[in-house]
Amino acid sequence: MSKVGQRERLTQKRIVQLFEQQLNYRYLGDWQDRPNNSNIETEILSTFLRDKQGHSNSLITKALYELNKVAGDQSKNLYDINKEVYSLLRYGVNVKEEVGENTQTVWLINWEEPLENDFAIAEEVTVKGENTKRPDIVLYVNGIAIGVLELKRSTISVAEGIRQNLDNQKSIFIKSFFTTMQFVMAGNDTEGLRYATIETPEKYFLTWKEDTNSDITDPLDKHLRQFCAKERFLELIHNFIVFDRGIKKVCRHNQYFGVNAAQSYLRRREGGIIWHTQGSGKSLTMVWLTKWIRENITDARVLIITDRDELDKQIESVFKGVNEAIYRTTSGKDLINKLNSTTTWLLCSLIHKFSKKDKADDADYNSYIEELKRSLPSDFSAKGDIYVFVDECHRTQSGTLHDAMKEILPNAVFIGFTGTPLLKKDKHNSINVFGDYIHTYTFKKAVADQVILDLRYEARNVDQNITSQTKIDQWFEAKTRGLTEHAKTQLKKRWGNLQKVLSSKSRLERIVGDILLDFETKDRLQSGYGNAMLICGSIYQACKYYELFQSGSFNRCAIVTSYKPSPKDIKGESTGEEELTEKLRQYEIYQKMLNGKAPEVFEDEVKKKFVEQPAQMKLLIVVDKLLTGFDAPSATYLYIDKTMRDHGLFQAICRVNRLDGEDKEYGYIIDYKDLFKSLEKSINDYTSEAFEDYEPDDIDGLLSDRIAKGRERLENSRESIKALCEPVEQPQDTHAYIRYFCGADTENPDLIKENQQQRIALYKYTSALVRAYANLSNDMAEAGYTTTETEIIKQEVKHYEQVRAEVKLASGDYIDLKAYEPAMRHLIDTYIGAEESEIISAFDDMTLIQLIVERGANAVEALPKGIKQNQEAVAETIENNLRKVIIDQQPTNPKYFDKMSTLLNELIQARKAASQDYKAYLQKIVELSKQVAQPSRSSQYPQSLNSPAKRALYDNLNQDEALALAINDTIRQTKKDGWRGNKIKEREVKNAIKKYLDSPEDCDRIFEIVKSQSEY
């Protein structure tokens, strides 16, 4: 177990011992000073291929050549190179010993006998690239680097290690080292291990969870013991990596254990059910299980059954995206023909399209089954060992489908997949049909694992009162003159239907106004980063909603339903009256919206905008479409104005639980039908009413009350930021905060960097506090806060937002981190009213130093009030910003910026010694800022040195004008496109420089300066 807050190096030492003693990896050493470290250690790999695999030197040489050629290809992007390397690792390298001989496969990794491979680690592996980097620990299998691990001390977020890995993959660092990498990892002793693969954004790094090694209390040790065990590590690489349409993906723990459990069932030729909640990667679970079946079961064939056209298309898309040739059948007859032949091993088939009624009709299945039976040739016998995957197996028709398929495929094994729990009444039947649960992964577990987002529920009441029963009666009598009493009675029943009352224009207008207010005030809706869906009870109601949004000048919305306007829909609908019938009105609105486009084309365009450009398509109005399926678009808010229950409701609300950007913290459900009767109860029990037909344990934690959870979140945010700021010395004024978060000594550039984690925590906690308050600000009384408490909290939020703004400016972080919190400005302006938020807008498009260069000493007036009222705070703010610019620019011209750093230090010392007044100090710091920001105006350079690169060479070559110009010319003649990071092209540039410089040290020094010049 680690000691509290121990240094990163001590953590690393312990982890190295863990790999040696617990996981039995070979220790290669500390490679900090070892030259020519590579992701392919040729000597180690050659030894394995010769001694363990028994290959000749000739075959080994050729296999190594092929591997190095692919891994070292600098002309392709990292994804493509990594994909080719993975293919060589997984399927072997095909080479010939001699020309004319048979091709042999050289296996770089022994997959069949994992423990026969050479597992090893090295630490502090210095890798030369455009800029040298040194990963903490690298994992090698047979000398090939397949894992990298960055470690942090327990007090520093594991996110810092993730970001280091992401930086290292950039071309300006050591991208080429990652061409063989399969797992990219980061960890510390408080958060444990996070893992992903190349080019994975930070938010998608995963945590491994497994109910073993319960005796190990340190999460990092536990995760590494589980994840990096030799056999497990190779299994994850071999069976659970996929290259999916430009994105390399690795499995989550639920996918791994789900597939492994299914493998055990299939080895026994038993079927069952895999229930993994919506959004947890069910489609890739299918892919990985299918791949395993193909490679491990002789003569296997897989048939994937869906019951909706969209799902059928999506299944086809997913498998083709991972380069698996899947055949999509066109009819029942086509399916029978394919099953009767042996040519196609992977098929998907659509069983039926749901009827347009609320419930699917068993007749749809029955007619399909009859078609199948009629299509059966007299000699029909399905070829191969068939495994049938039934998607959305929770549907009640599964039993009928199963009976039919069993009749046609009597020896097939069935696996049911579902993203929703089974209803109590269906559970017994479904288990009888498919078998037991193979593996389950509930909503609550997925939220805890941060695979999906938690949901916040709110019921909104829209009251309706009949304003004048007499006038309604008069209107009805006028419209029904000439009808018999029986006809009038029938019509009254129709118009008295609740759906008609709830579709009244006044009610819909109120809901539209309610939603429009959300789009103006709710963070993600207002910012354009998020979007919403509105579920209606009918297509006509959807059209009325659309019309009302349009009349409210809200044009960035559209209807997506199964309706396809056709003249036959309105045949016989004209009555001669001015008022249009429902069908005519629906037809007219839809046609106007489509604007001449086919419904399918319009829908595709709208969905694309909704997903990729939410600011341009903010709201989709739907009835049934887009609420189910792998690729149904995700949203932030879901407005429900339709009576729903059970599976339909479960799948619908999961439209908003998908991860989608750093600023999406929850999915929001706004319920206008009070489906859970929460308005009638003092305690919200979301397992009743709409979900009463599920087992309570199966939907535990699905919905949380927005107000109650909002208060909990606000209190947690307040507590976190107060704890973070507690060490700030009293009085906790601007200067105290700046010194605590930026460092007490502006002469020491390392202090700014050392305090970076504290500042990032401040920015994150402030962001969380502002969002938590904004989410609850209109409901503080309902959340249980008194007027006095509400005002105190508002002032706290305002205070910490001001602290955050001042620290950002004082540290020089302002521009670098301003994109960290999209829409934060809106939240502050709307809910806090911080005066400083207007003042610091002067910095939106420039740094403080740029502002000083432009405005001189007057730039100080643009600083927040808390800073500019304190002369020392002003000085330290400018000095920290100036120091940051000098450090950032130093590689481009070391001599010049070293001189600037010396001048800054002298100026700081003079200020601290009070040897000059504040006004004189400001004039000198302004002058120095101009020299730092504009080197060309700061020194007398010869006219010929008319670019930053030429001036940098001149400064660092003892001001030899002729030599600087000569080297500049030869670099421009020699350099090739994309030369940085390409070893061969870099060597050409370096050799060109060598012609002019005698000393190898000078050559290396100038080469590094040349690499830092953006103009080369």
Side-chain angles (χ1 to χ4, degrees):
M1 180 63 186
S2 66
K3 295 179 181 178
V4 174
Q6 70 172 337
R7 287 182 15 244
E8 181 181 312
R9 198 68 185 83
L10 295 177
T11 301
Q12 184 169 315
K13 184 178 179 181
R14 189 186 86 251
I15 295 305
V16 167
Q17 289 178 345
L18 182 145
F19 271 100
E20 283 188 275
Q21 298 168 10
Q22 305 296 325
L23 296 171
N24 297 317
Y25 281 58
R26 188 163 64 93
Y27 180 59
L28 298 174
D30 184 323
W31 283 4
Q32 179 170 341
D33 299 318
R34 179 177 182 262
N36 303 317
N37 291 325
S38 171
N39 56 352
I40 301 170
E41 293 292 334
T42 304
E43 188 176 331
I44 298 174
L45 181 53
S46 297
T47 300
F48 166 78
L49 293 175
R50 183 177 58 251
D51 297 350
K52 290 281 191 178
Q53 302 289 77
H55 291 302
S56 67
N57 289 334
S58 173
L59 271 182
I60 292 170
T61 300
K62 291 180 178 180
L64 287 176
Y65 172 78
E66 291 298 322
L67 175 61
N68 279 295
K69 184 177 72 173
V70 170
D73 186 352
Q74 299 293 326
S75 65
K76 297 179 180 177
N77 62 37
L78 180 57
Y79 173 86
D80 289 330
I81 302 170
N82 193 280
K83 184 178 180 181
E84 288 187 45
V85 170
Y86 179 78
S87 180
L88 295 179
L89 296 180
R90 195 181 192 281
Y91 302 108
V93 185
N94 295 320
V95 289
K96 295 180 180 180
E97 182 115 41
E98 300 293 342
V99 177
E101 293 190 7
N102 291 332
T103 299
Q104 297 184 50
T105 300
V106 175
W107 292 96
L108 303 173
I109 295 175
N110 185 342
W111 300 110
E112 293 186 1
E113 301 171 288
L115 299 182
E116 292 301 308
N117 294 284
D118 177 19
F119 289 80
I121 63 163
E123 60 178 323
E124 299 298 320
V125 181
T126 298
V127 183
K128 289 184 178 179
E130 189 167 327
N131 288 285
T132 298
K133 298 289 279 185
R134 193 168 62 243
D136 291 338
I137 293 177
V138 178
L139 282 62
Y140 295 86
V141 173
N142 307 328
I144 303 169
I146 59 172
V148 63
L149 171 61
E150 289 292 343
L151 296 169
K152 291 294 158 195
R153 68 167 70 187
S154 57
T155 55
I156 294 180
S157 170
V158 74
E160 182 71 9
I162 293 172
R163 287 193 282 269
Q164 274 182 252
N165 275 319
L166 291 172
D167 284 343
N168 288 351
Q169 294 172 59
K170 295 176 182 175
S171 58
I172 61 170
F173 293 113
I174 55 170
K175 181 183 85 170
S176 59
F177 190 69
F178 285 79
T179 57
T180 62
M181 212 61 69
Q182 306 308 313
F183 284 105
V184 177
M185 299 169 283
N188 67 15
D189 287 327
T190 47
E191 297 172 274
L193 185 74
R194 298 287 184 273
Y195 72 93
T197 188
I198 59 158
E199 299 183 329
T200 304
E202 180 185 334
K203 65 182 176 181
Y204 293 121
F205 270 67
L206 305 168
T207 302
W208 190 259
K209 288 199 174 180
E210 184 176 357
D211 295 329
T212 60
N213 302 105
S214 56
D215 57 314
I216 302 175
T217 54
D218 190 303
L220 179 58
D221 292 22
K222 181 177 180 178
H223 291 158
L224 287 172
R225 287 275 297 273
Q226 295 167 336
F227 191 79
C228 295
K230 291 179 178 180
E231 291 171 290
R232 167 74 57 77
F233 202 55
L234 286 193
E235 182 189 9
L236 289 168
I237 293 171
H238 188 267
N239 291 344
F240 293 95
I241 283 178
V242 72
F243 292 82
D244 184 8
R245 290 169 286 188
I247 302 173
K248 186 177 182 181
K249 297 176 180 177
V250 296
C251 69
R252 299 170 178 143
H253 62 89
N254 65 291
Q255 294 168 318
Y256 171 82
F257 290 114
V259 170
N260 265 10
Q263 290 171 8
S264 300
Y265 274 71
L266 295 181
R267 286 191 185 100
R268 303 191 301 267
R269 294 197 56 77
E270 291 180 21
I273 299 170
I274 295 177
W275 165 33
H276 285 183
T277 197
Q278 295 280 328
S280 60
K282 182 160 56 81
S283 56
L284 283 182
T285 301
M286 278 189 189
V287 168
W288 282 314
L289 184 56
T290 300
K291 280 176 170 283
W292 181 86
I293 290 172
R294 183 184 189 184
E295 293 183 348
N296 291 276
I297 298 178
T298 305
D299 203 24
R301 302 178 75 189
V302 176
L303 169 63
I304 302 174
I305 298 291
T306 60
D307 63 0
R308 293 189 180 181
D309 189 51
E310 306 97 273
L311 297 183
D312 198 38
K313 288 177 183 174
Q314 287 159 12
I315 289 285
E316 180 187 33
S317 169
V318 167
F319 276 89
K320 285 187 173 178
V322 298
N323 295 324
E324 287 293 349
I326 186 169
Y327 180 81
R328 188 173 171 221
T329 63
T330 57
S331 64
K333 184 176 181 180
D334 186 30
L335 173 61
I336 293 299
N337 288 338
K338 288 293 179 288
L339 290 172
N340 204 27
S341 68
T342 59
T343 53
T344 308
W345 80 273
L346 178 59
L347 306 102
C348 61
S349 181
L350 178 68
I351 285 299
H352 84 307
K353 290 183 179 178
F354 263 10
S355 69
K356 294 182 181 178
K357 303 172 187 176
D358 285 342
K359 293 185 178 179
D361 192 342
D362 276 345
D364 295 331
Y365 277 102
N366 295 334
S367 60
Y368 183 83
I369 291 161
E370 289 305 314
E371 181 195 349
L372 285 179
K373 290 178 179 177
R374 286 195 302 270
S375 304
L376 288 176
S378 56
D379 61 342
F380 173 77
S381 173
K383 307 301 186 292
D385 188 2
I386 295 177
Y387 296 83
V388 181
F389 292 175
V390 180
D391 189 44
E392 304 298 351
C393 69
H394 58 263
R395 305 219 197 275
T396 54
Q397 293 84 357
S398 295
T400 313
L401 162 64
H402 186 267
D403 292 342
M405 298 308 293
K406 269 293 185 186
E407 195 170 328
I408 296 165
L409 306 169
N411 299 315
V413 177
F414 286 76
I415 300 285
F417 288 84
T418 182
T420 62
L422 297 177
L423 296 169
K424 293 178 208 172
K425 64 184 178 65
D426 293 337
K427 189 172 281 191
H428 179 72
N429 180 53
S430 296
I431 289 172
N432 283 341
V433 168
F434 292 99
D436 293 334
Y437 279 123
I438 293 172
H439 194 259
T440 61
Y441 189 56
T442 64
F443 183 94
K444 191 172 184 178
K445 288 180 181 176
V447 169
D449 292 343
Q450 298 181 325
V451 168
I452 56 178
L453 296 172
D454 207 352
L455 298 175
R456 296 287 182 260
Y457 173 80
E458 177 181 356
R460 291 185 185 173
N461 191 21
V462 180
D463 294 324
Q464 287 196 129
N465 298 305
I466 295 175
T467 53
S468 173
Q469 186 63 52
T470 304
K471 287 187 177 179
I472 290 174
D473 292 341
Q474 288 175 349
W475 178 87
F476 185 82
E477 287 300 324
K479 290 292 182 181
T480 56
R481 284 194 190 104
L483 294 180
T484 64
E485 286 303 314
H486 177 72
K488 284 184 181 181
T489 302
Q490 293 298 111
L491 192 59
K492 277 185 178 179
K493 282 182 181 179
R494 182 185 170 199
W495 282 96
N497 182 281
L498 180 63
Q499 180 62 37
K500 297 297 179 185
V501 174
L502 293 178
S503 296
S504 70
K505 186 178 179 182
S506 64
R507 178 180 180 276
L508 299 192
E509 282 176 340
R510 291 186 63 181
I511 291 175
V512 166
D514 202 36
I515 294 172
L516 289 177
L517 181 63
D518 283 352
F519 271 97
E520 290 299 320
T521 59
K522 299 299 184 187
D523 170 31
R524 242 181 156 247
L525 296 182
Q526 185 276 340
S527 69
Y529 287 90
N531 46 27
M533 297 175 78
L534 168 60
I535 307 177
C536 302
S538 68
I539 295 169
Y540 177 64
Q541 185 186 20
C543 290
K544 290 183 72 175
Y545 266 125
Y546 176 77
E547 197 172 38
L548 288 170
F549 279 113
Q550 294 292 304
S551 64
S553 300
F554 187 79
N555 301 316
R556 293 173 185 180
C557 68
I559 312 168
V560 176
T561 69
S562 56
Y563 180 58
K564 296 179 181 179
S566 169
K568 66 181 182 183
D569 295 334
I570 56 174
K571 188 177 180 181
E573 286 293 309
S574 297
T575 62
E577 299 282 341
E578 283 188 29
E579 251 181 71
L580 299 177
T581 64
E582 282 188 14
K583 286 187 177 179
L584 282 170
R585 195 85 192 96
Q586 180 176 301
Y587 179 83
E588 182 184 89
I589 293 169
Y590 232 90
Q591 288 284 46
K592 188 176 180 181
M593 179 186 72
L594 294 175
N595 195 26
K597 293 179 181 176
E600 296 84 0
V601 173
F602 177 80
E603 180 180 328
D604 287 343
E605 290 178 0
V606 162
K607 282 170 61 179
K608 185 177 174 66
K609 267 190 180 180
F610 187 77
V611 173
E612 297 177 7
Q613 299 175 286
Q616 301 302 314
M617 184 53 62
K618 295 185 173 185
L619 177 71
L620 291 185
I621 305 168
V622 301
V623 179
D624 288 314
K625 290 194 85 169
L626 305 189
L627 297 180
T628 60
F630 305 124
D631 296 330
S634 96
T636 305
Y637 278 75
L638 185 74
Y639 297 96
I640 303 176
D641 192 24
K642 174 185 179 180
T643 301
M644 305 176 79
R645 287 182 64 88
D646 301 333
H647 297 310
L649 179 57
F650 189 101
Q651 291 184 309
I653 66 177
C654 288
R655 291 307 99 216
V656 295
N657 71 2
R658 304 300 199 271
L659 301 175
D660 177 23
E662 296 291 343
D663 60 324
K664 183 179 178 183
E665 299 168 302
Y666 304 100
Y668 292 93
I669 312 295
I670 311 299
D671 174 11
Y672 289 107
K673 284 296 183 76
D674 196 17
L675 299 177
F676 301 95
K677 299 293 184 282
S678 61
L679 295 173
E680 298 174 10
K681 305 172 188 172
S682 57
I683 299 174
N684 293 310
D685 175 13
Y686 300 136
T687 61
S688 64
E689 302 299 338
F691 283 155
E692 67 184 355
D693 291 332
Y694 287 125
E695 297 284 1
D697 288 346
D698 288 350
I699 56 167
D700 184 26
L702 180 61
L703 293 175
S704 304
D705 177 72
R706 185 180 70 84
I707 300 296
K709 285 293 182 180
R711 177 177 175 124
E712 180 183 325
R713 176 188 175 198
L714 179 57
E715 289 302 315
N716 288 340
S717 298
R718 291 174 69 198
E719 186 177 331
S720 295
I721 200 163
K722 286 177 183 179
L724 176 70
C725 295
E726 188 177 4
V728 176
E729 63 187 30
Q730 298 293 336
Q732 290 188 339
D733 57 13
T734 294
H735 194 231
Y737 280 110
I738 289 174
R739 292 179 77 80
Y740 179 73
F741 284 104
C742 303
D745 183 2
T746 51
E747 289 182 76
N748 186 350
D750 293 332
L751 280 180
I752 288 281
K753 191 170 184 180
E754 277 184 26
N755 288 292
Q756 183 176 335
Q757 286 303 313
Q758 287 176 201
R759 292 198 304 280
I760 288 175
L762 174 67
Y763 306 152
K764 278 189 173 182
Y765 289 172
T766 306
S767 170
L769 180 64
V770 172
R771 291 184 189 284
Y773 175 68
N775 188 54
L776 205 60
S777 62
N778 297 325
D779 308 290
M780 294 293 278
E782 193 176 341
Y785 292 108
T786 65
T787 304
T788 304
E789 288 171 332
T790 299
E791 185 58 31
I792 289 171
I793 292 171
K794 182 176 181 179
Q795 292 307 314
E796 284 178 1
V797 177
K798 184 174 180 178
H799 168 75
Y800 287 115
E801 202 286 322
Q802 290 170 353
V803 168
R804 168 184 169 277
E806 291 174 354
V807 168
K808 268 191 163 186
L809 284 171
S811 63
D813 288 339
Y814 188 77
I815 296 298
D816 292 341
L817 295 175
K818 75 172 183 178
Y820 189 79
E821 305 155 34
M824 182 57 70
R825 184 88 285 122
H826 161 73
L827 292 180
I828 294 162
D829 292 343
T830 305
Y831 297 103
I832 302 168
E835 298 87 349
E836 282 74 9
S837 65
E838 296 176 12
I839 294 170
I840 65 171
S841 63
F843 295 95
D844 277 352
D845 299 313
M846 59 179 67
T847 65
L848 174 58
I849 300 307
Q850 288 172 327
L851 204 65
I852 288 172
V853 170
E854 183 182 288
R855 299 186 187 178
N858 291 332
V860 172
E861 292 304 312
L863 291 169
K865 184 168 59 178
I867 294 179
K868 70 183 178 183
Q869 286 177 343
N870 185 311
Q871 292 182 357
E872 191 170 354
V874 170
E876 290 186 357
T877 296
I878 297 174
E879 289 157 5
N880 286 335
N881 278 265
L882 197 51
R883 176 81 67 191
K884 191 170 188 297
V885 174
I886 290 171
I887 291 170
D888 289 345
Q889 293 299 317
Q890 202 269 349
T892 66
N893 192 336
K895 283 280 175 68
Y896 182 81
F897 286 102
D898 283 348
K899 184 172 72 175
M900 294 296 105
S901 183
T902 301
L903 291 174
L904 176 60
N905 289 338
E906 290 172 357
L907 199 53
I908 292 171
Q909 286 192 8
R911 173 179 66 80
K912 289 182 176 179
S915 60
Q916 58 187 336
D917 63 20
Y918 179 64
K919 190 173 181 182
Y921 161 79
L922 275 184
Q923 289 174 342
K924 289 187 177 181
I925 201 79
V926 166
E927 184 55 37
L928 182 58
S929 297
K930 290 178 179 178
Q931 290 181 52
V932 169
Q934 301 172 339
S936 60
R937 299 181 186 177
S938 308
S939 298
Q940 293 301 315
Y941 288 102
Q943 270 192 325
S944 60
L945 305 177
N946 54 5
S947 77
K950 291 177 184 177
R951 290 190 288 270
L953 290 171
Y954 175 77
D955 285 335
N956 291 274
L957 290 168
N958 298 318
Q959 299 189 335
D960 187 330
E961 180 183 356
L963 182 57
L965 291 173
I967 290 178
N968 172 72
D969 290 342
T970 195
I971 290 167
R972 291 185 183 281
Q973 291 165 13
T974 307
K975 72 177 181 69
K976 294 176 180 174
D977 187 48
W979 67 276
R980 289 179 180 82
N982 185 310
K983 292 178 181 178
I984 296 173
K985 294 178 181 178
E986 281 189 0
R987 194 179 302 127
E988 291 172 349
V989 173
K990 201 168 189 178
N991 288 336
I993 296 171
K994 272 183 185 176
K995 295 175 184 177
Y996 295 90
L997 300 173
D998 297 329
S999 163
E1001 291 78 14
D1002 283 346
C1003 182
D1004 289 342
R1005 180 173 58 85
I1006 295 301
F1007 178 69
E1008 290 303 319
I1009 293 170
V1010 166
K1011 281 173 65 177
S1012 300
Q1013 304 302 319
S1014 58
E1015 61 189 81
Y1016 290 143

